[in-house]
Amino acid sequence: AAPADEREAWLVGRARARLRAGRAVEARKDLRDARTQFPKGKRALETLRLAAEERFLAANGPEGDLAFEEGVQLLRQAIGEHRDDPEAPAVQASLAVAYAGRGQHQKAAAEWRGLVERFPTNPEAPTWRNAVAELEAFGDGFPSRRAREARLLGTLAAGRDSEHGLAAEIGVA
């Protein structure tokens, strides 16, 4: 690999490790550096996803809604810039899970619906349809955060989407 590719991989890898180790401030700096130095690099999508994950984690603290909205914008940027990437559905699913985790059920349902419309033959499409149906069926009476967390953790334990940090994005990891 070229030196720039190696530098990008190193920065993103270090950021990922720091984020997983609870060193979010350092991870955020690495991710900012990676986005600045390699805006169109091979790991640009992963960089945006990790940056969003960091913001969603920060949303559970004093930064609250501002950090959450920054995370949403990072995922929207990732979706917009990487529409044809094989990981695009997982990025949009991350956004839907994040919205649901914050109790923004209509926005979550809209993201799930968008996934079903855009990727109707994706193997995960039945799961997305079920998510839309559940959100629409419960409306404002959607189960408590603890019930949603338990369901999400059950899904993750079954092995679906576990590598994408969905639990961390809604603050249950």
Side-chain angles (χ1 to χ4, degrees), residues 69-157:
E69 287 306 317
E70 289 172 347
V72 166
Q73 292 310 311
L74 287 161
L75 287 183
R76 290 216 178 280
Q77 179 181 349
I79 292 165
E81 292 178 2
H82 303 275
R83 282 187 74 73
D84 298 325
D85 190 286
E87 289 295 310
V91 175
Q92 192 166 351
S94 297
L95 183 55
V97 169
Y99 276 136
R102 289 294 273 202
Q104 297 180 23
H105 306 302
Q106 290 180 351
K107 290 180 179 180
E111 295 301 327
W112 292 124
R113 227 180 272 106
L115 278 164
V116 170
E117 291 168 7
R118 183 147 185 256
F119 305 101
T121 60
N122 187 294
E124 291 296 316
T127 302
W128 304 334
R129 282 187 199 91
N130 288 342
V132 172
E134 285 183 15
L135 289 167
E136 289 176 347
F138 285 111
D140 290 336
F142 197 72
S144 71
R145 179 178 170 93
R146 284 282 163 224
R148 292 191 314 272
E149 290 169 358
R151 180 172 296 166
L152 174 64
L153 291 174
T155 299
L156 294 175

Side-chain angles (χ1 to χ4, degrees), residues 6 53 65-66 85 107 153:
E6 290 175 10
E53 183 177 332
D65 291 338
L66 177 62
D85 190 286
K107 290 180 179 180
L153 291 174

